[in-house]
């Protein structure tokens, strides 16, 4: 199966999961997995959230992401991956003046609710 993000409409989400600012995203989702090609704009962040029924893998394509993971701060740059296992909490920020482009994959460990 090929997922062509160029054929998926981009949506703008403000204050994603209670964070701040603008997130542009193209998402593929079924009952087993959510795959997001996204751009977090400068100064924007996601909100703190816990992965209770899934995990999340975030591959940084370009830019620099600051992750707050279980109370620690980590920085990931292009070519690096941030992993948040099931049962852990995180949020990310774009503290730079350039767009942060990333691919996020959230596989379902239990049935996902939409």
């Amino acid at each position: 199966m090929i997922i062509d993000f160029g054929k998926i409409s981009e949506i703008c989400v403000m204050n994603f999961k209670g964070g701040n600012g603008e997130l542009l995203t193209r998402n593929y989702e079924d009952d087993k997995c959510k795959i997001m090609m996204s751009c977090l704009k400068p100064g924007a962040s996601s909100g703190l959230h816990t992965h209770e029924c899934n995990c999340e893998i975030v591959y940084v394509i370009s830019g620099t992401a600051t992750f707050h993971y279980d109370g620690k701060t980590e920085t990931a740059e292009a070519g690096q991956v941030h992993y948040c296992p099931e049962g852990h909490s995180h949020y990310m920020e774009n503290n730079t003046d350039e767009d942060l482009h990333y691919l996020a994959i959230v596989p379902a460990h239990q049935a996902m609710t939409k």
Side-chain angles (χ1 to χ4, degrees), residues 5-6 8-11 24-28 35-38:
F5 286 104
I8 297 174
S9 296
E10 183 175 77
I11 59 171
L24 303 175
T25 189
R26 298 170 190 265
N27 301 336
Y28 169 84
I35 305 169
M36 301 158 281
M37 181 69 71
S38 302

Side-chain angles (χ1 to χ4, degrees), residues 27-92:
N27 301 336
Y28 169 84
E29 185 173 3
D30 63 19
D31 62 341
K32 299 293 183 190
C33 194
K34 185 172 185 178
I35 305 169
M36 301 158 281
M37 181 69 71
S38 302
C39 174
L40 192 62
K41 301 305 273 183
S45 67
S46 65
L48 177 65
H49 57 283
T50 301
H51 285 270
E52 295 176 357
C53 299
N54 55 34
C55 63
E56 184 171 15
I57 301 106
V58 180
Y59 175 77
V60 178
I61 297 167
S62 66
T64 302
T66 300
F67 290 96
H68 300 271
Y69 169 72
D70 287 347
K72 298 177 187 172
T73 302
E74 305 173 330
T75 302
E77 297 179 348
Q80 294 182 318
V81 172
H82 165 75
Y83 174 56
C84 186
E86 182 176 12
H88 293 261
S89 299
H90 72 156
Y91 72 97
M92 80 171 135

